[in-house]
Amino acid sequence: MFPVKMLPFRRFPTTTVSQCFTLVRSFTGGITQYAKKAEQLESEEPATEELPVTFVDDDAESMEAREARIATLRNKSRLLPQHRNMLHGVLPYEQSQSWIHETVKYKRMMLGRYGIDGSKVDPRVCFPTKKEAYERAEYERVAFPFSLKQMMDANESERKARKAQIEAREAEVSRKLEKLDQWTADLNARIAKKEAEARAAKERKDRLVEEVRRHFGFKVDPRDERFQEMLAQKEREDRKKVKEAKRKEKEEKMMEKLQKKTAQLEADIEVPSGEKKKQ
């Protein structure tokens, strides 16, 4: 025979082994009791089956209760009763659930939405009380002191005044647009005149400076006192010359006007004398 190599055998504690045997005995005992109970139930006669909970005798049930039960079984929406009532256009609550449901505003809203029969609200709540009517009339008297005719007249007057103001503004704009070309020409003339005056002043200044330098006969610093004094003297002389030229020009213009007026008077005198000779 071949030698057999034995595996090492593990020894368990005595307490563990005893516990295992106890568990096996309890398990086998439970199976035995269950088998006996099953045999006893099979040997007994079957009892009459009970009716399901939802079964109700139709003869003993009234028509209204039957309809209510069917409606309850038919409701699969899982909505709250008040929400389902609102969905089907029915008053949400049969009785007041909050102080809000007792307010006049809520009752008027329910009456307007579900009607007299559907809301179960006295329609007299829609009419104001004497106190409310008086307060409303007083409010309208203070807030709207004018009658409809007066407000219409005031609105018409305001509309006419606004229209007249717009027309006046448009007329003024048109009038100014007509003068726009003339104003542009005047502006350009003034700008050209100022530029000419500035150029003339600069040329006059340069001319006076050159005259002062020629007077000294040598190059002088413009900041020198002698140069400044001579320049001031030349400017005074130049201003006198300009003033004299303007005076002469004015006199010439006056003489020209007098000559024109004299010629006009002579012509007026000669015309009547010629007419008398013809007569």
Side-chain angles (χ1 to χ4, degrees):
M1 294 181 62
F2 294 100
V4 179
K5 188 177 181 179
M6 300 295 292
L7 295 174
F9 181 75
R10 185 178 179 181
R11 301 185 63 183
F12 293 94
T14 308
T15 55
T16 305
V17 174
S18 61
Q19 289 177 359
C20 291
F21 280 112
T22 304
L23 181 61
V24 171
R25 282 199 302 271
S26 62
F27 180 70
T28 54
I31 293 175
T32 305
Q33 292 179 1
Y34 180 76
K36 291 181 179 179
K37 186 78 177 284
E39 291 177 358
Q40 184 180 359
L41 291 174
E42 290 178 356
S43 62
E44 293 179 355
E45 295 181 359
T48 58
E49 295 181 358
E50 297 183 355
L51 295 175
V53 178
T54 56
F55 180 79
V56 180
D57 190 3
D58 292 340
D59 297 334
E61 187 179 16
S62 63
M63 185 60 68
E64 294 180 358
R66 183 171 179 274
E67 293 294 334
R69 181 176 59 80
I70 292 174
T72 303
L73 295 175
R74 192 180 294 163
N75 182 15
K76 303 298 182 181
S77 63
R78 296 184 181 181
L79 294 174
L80 294 176
Q82 60 270 26
H83 296 162
R84 191 168 184 276
N85 291 340
M86 293 173 65
L87 180 64
H88 292 281
V90 185
L91 189 67
Y93 302 99
E94 293 292 335
Q95 296 180 354
S96 299
Q97 303 294 327
S98 174
W99 63 270
I100 299 176
H101 299 162
E102 297 296 333
T103 59
V104 176
K105 182 178 180 180
Y106 180 82
K107 290 182 179 179
R108 289 176 178 175
M109 183 175 65
M110 293 297 104
L111 180 62
R113 183 173 298 176
Y114 302 108
I116 297 176
D117 298 332
S119 62
K120 301 178 183 179
V121 176
D122 189 357
R124 289 178 294 181
V125 299
C126 296
F127 297 92
T129 61
K130 291 183 178 180
K131 182 179 180 181
E132 291 176 349
Y134 173 77
E135 290 177 353
R136 183 63 184 177
E138 187 67 16
Y139 171 78
E140 291 183 355
R141 186 183 66 82
V142 175
F144 309 103
F146 303 105
S147 63
L148 181 60
K149 184 68 169 59
Q150 291 174 341
M151 288 191 291
M152 291 176 64
D153 294 341
N155 189 16
E156 183 68 18
S157 301
E158 184 179 356
R159 187 181 65 81
K160 289 181 179 179
R162 189 163 55 248
K163 183 179 179 182
Q165 184 179 2
I166 293 172
E167 290 177 352
R169 177 63 177 169
E170 290 177 351
E172 183 181 0
V173 171
S174 300
R175 187 173 61 255
K176 289 183 177 180
L177 285 174
E178 292 175 357
K179 298 180 180 180
L180 181 61
D181 297 336
Q182 182 63 32
W183 289 345
T184 305
D186 295 343
L187 178 61
N188 293 332
R190 288 197 298 270
I191 293 173
K193 183 179 178 182
K194 287 198 176 288
E195 289 177 353
E197 290 177 355
R199 285 195 299 270
K202 186 176 183 303
E203 291 175 358
R204 186 172 62 252
K205 183 76 172 178
D206 295 341
R207 180 173 54 81
L208 292 175
V209 170
E210 188 63 26
E211 288 180 1
V212 171
R213 285 177 178 173
R214 283 201 304 268
H215 174 76
F216 286 106
F218 54 90
K219 190 175 180 179
V220 184
D221 189 0
R223 293 172 293 181
D224 195 328
E225 293 182 0
R226 294 177 298 170
F227 186 88
Q228 294 292 335
E229 290 176 0
M230 183 58 66
L231 181 61
Q233 182 180 354
K234 291 289 185 181
E235 287 179 351
R236 286 194 297 269
E237 293 176 358
D238 188 69
R239 281 197 296 269
K240 287 180 181 180
K241 290 179 181 179
V242 172
K243 190 175 181 181
E244 186 67 21
K246 287 182 178 179
R247 187 179 63 80
K248 288 181 179 181
E249 184 180 359
K250 188 175 180 182
E251 288 178 356
E252 290 177 359
K253 288 181 179 180
M254 289 180 65
M255 290 298 294
E256 187 177 355
K257 286 182 180 179
L258 288 173
Q259 290 175 1
K260 288 182 179 181
K261 191 174 289 186
T262 304
Q264 183 67 28
L265 289 174
E266 290 177 355
D268 293 340
I269 292 171
E270 289 177 359
V271 170
S273 62
E275 289 179 356
K276 287 181 181 180
K277 289 180 181 179
K278 289 180 181 180
Q279 290 177 357

